[in-house]
Amino acid sequence: MKVVDARGKRCPQPMIMAKRLWKTLADSEIFEVWVDNAVACENLNSFLADHNASPKSIEREGYTAIEARKPEKASEKPEPEAVCAPSNSAYTVVLKNDKMGHGDDALGEILIKGYINALAEIDKLPEAIVLYNAGVLLARKDSGASEGLAELSQKGVDIILCGACVDYYEIKSDIACGRISNMYVIAELLAKTGHIVYP
Amino acid sequence: MSSKRYFILFKNIRQVIKAEKYFREKQIACKVMPVPSRISSECGMCLEVNKPANEAQLENLRQVGFECSCVAL
């Protein structure tokens, strides 16, 4: 029986380890994940139940063994990414305008640039930044925000631009960073993200 | 190579807005940043530049109406 020993690992490590194991399992294969904290235990039980793996928690000395069986036809559901407490969960930033907040436009423009440049320096980066409607204007070469977006991209943040919006504003040749995508991709991303930040 | 960062601080946010536009027109590279919390705990913006602004450059900015100073961190 395959065993993942995630004792001493903090969230989300046990979940990441369990997901790696999950991919290697054959249909109907029984396995165990060992954890020693309640949050990881709860998250794993939730993940495994969602995937019809019938998890069963067995209390052992100093840790919990979660025994489960991969079903014959494993669920093809997307794996939940938001597996930890909200403060640790993955998040996506949505820039729906080229300004921050309502009020004076010039102030809003300087604030959004400051936000993007500050975002590139914080520890917990978003998984992705989605830009739509006038938000795509921030990805232009001369926007004053594109350098910050490029820096975020270099750090692994997926910068996604709404293709219809890029087309509408006729800025395709001016785009400095990010990948142009469509509303299906954006809808899927927003549906699976832990939470969304609208600055 | 110095790892210092250089921030130009202005009297208020209105001046930051004007200065950012002015820098872009003059093609001076700058980045809008929140004022580092080591300098001020208030919510303010400033411009980060690649090189320290010398007194002559600051004087030029003052002559076009900006009240500013340069801080290295």
Side-chain angles (χ1 to χ4, degrees), chain A residues 2 19-20 49 89 100 117 132 141 146 175 186 192:
Chain A
K2 286 179 180 168
K19 283 180 177 177
R20 281 193 195 131
S89 64
M100 191 171 186
N117 290 327
Y132 59 69
K141 287 173 198 141
S146 59
I175 294 297
I186 292 173
K192 77 170 187 184

Side-chain angles (χ1 to χ4, degrees), chain A residues 157-197:
Chain A
V157 179
D158 195 6
I159 311 290
I160 300 169
L161 313 177
C162 161
C165 311
V166 169
D167 182 50
Y168 179 85
Y169 288 104
E170 299 179 345
I171 55 168
K172 192 167 183 180
S173 59
D174 291 333
I175 294 297
C177 60
R179 64 184 176 98
I180 294 172
S181 191
N182 63 45
M183 202 54 87
Y184 285 111
V185 171
I186 292 173
E188 278 182 14
L189 179 77
L190 296 185
K192 77 170 187 184
T193 193
H195 62 275
I196 298 169
V197 174

Side-chain angles (χ1 to χ4, degrees), chain A residues 83-132:
Chain A
V83 295
C84 300
S87 61
N88 290 330
S89 64
Y91 70 104
T92 295
V93 171
V94 173
L95 302 174
K96 52 187 176 180
N97 202 344
D98 60 342
K99 301 167 187 69
M100 191 171 186
H102 301 285
D104 186 87
D105 283 354
L107 178 61
E109 283 171 14
I110 210 87
L111 293 179
I112 196 72
K113 291 172 194 174
Y115 172 78
I116 290 168
N117 290 327
L119 188 63
E121 296 191 2
I122 67 172
D123 291 336
K124 184 162 175 48
L125 296 175
E127 282 195 327
I129 300 177
V130 176
L131 299 86
Y132 59 69

Side-chain angles (χ1 to χ4, degrees), chain B residues 23-37:
Chain B
F23 276 41
R24 290 197 174 276
E25 283 169 2
K26 299 283 179 190
Q27 297 190 318
I28 302 167
C30 70
K31 191 157 82 166
V32 179
M33 292 298 295
V35 174
S37 47

